[in-house]
Amino acid sequence: MPLLRVPVQCTTCKDAIDLSSALLVDKTQKQYQCYACYQNNSNPAWGYGKEQIKQNHYCERCKYKFVSTKLRCPYCNKGDRLSNPNITVHDLL
């Protein structure tokens, strides 16, 4: 049984490539990338090739101070009550 060759467009170089040889980069928007562009990591919007910087965060929900690249507390797994990490003891009382 032969495979159907469905052409999709590479989001980086805009070339038409076969679906069987494409890499799915973003599932929600159905964005595909060819293997050559994936190796070059040419699109920093997806997080490839750019260095992620860790930042200080403070979760007001669980009173947990942490350093992370993600805006989500590792203790309670929520990100809705994050604030400035420069908290003193007087602010907590």
Side-chain angles (χ1 to χ4, degrees), residues 52-57 66-74:
Q52 295 182 352
I53 300 171
K54 291 185 177 182
Q55 297 177 350
N56 294 324
H57 302 286
F66 61 98
V67 177
S68 178
T69 58
K70 300 177 183 176
L71 291 173
R72 183 167 295 220
C73 176

Side-chain angles (χ1 to χ4, degrees), residues 19-90:
L19 183 61
S20 61
S21 64
L23 298 168
L24 182 63
V25 178
D26 189 7
K27 187 190 295 186
T28 57
Q29 297 177 357
K30 294 188 178 181
Q31 293 181 348
Y32 297 95
Q33 200 172 31
C34 64
Y35 187 69
C37 292
Y38 181 76
Q39 279 185 329
N40 291 337
N41 297 333
S42 61
N43 196 343
W46 291 318
Y48 304 130
K50 73 175 183 177
E51 184 177 323
Q52 295 182 352
I53 300 171
K54 291 185 177 182
Q55 297 177 350
N56 294 324
H57 302 286
Y58 176 75
C59 181
E60 295 175 355
R61 179 185 305 268
C62 56
K63 296 182 174 92
Y64 187 68
K65 188 176 180 180
F66 61 98
V67 177
S68 178
T69 58
K70 300 177 183 176
L71 291 173
R72 183 167 295 220
C73 176
Y75 192 75
C76 65
N77 202 23
K78 298 195 190 259
D80 57 345
R81 296 184 65 188
L82 294 181
S83 68
N84 187 5
N86 297 329
I87 304 296
T88 62
V89 175
H90 298 296

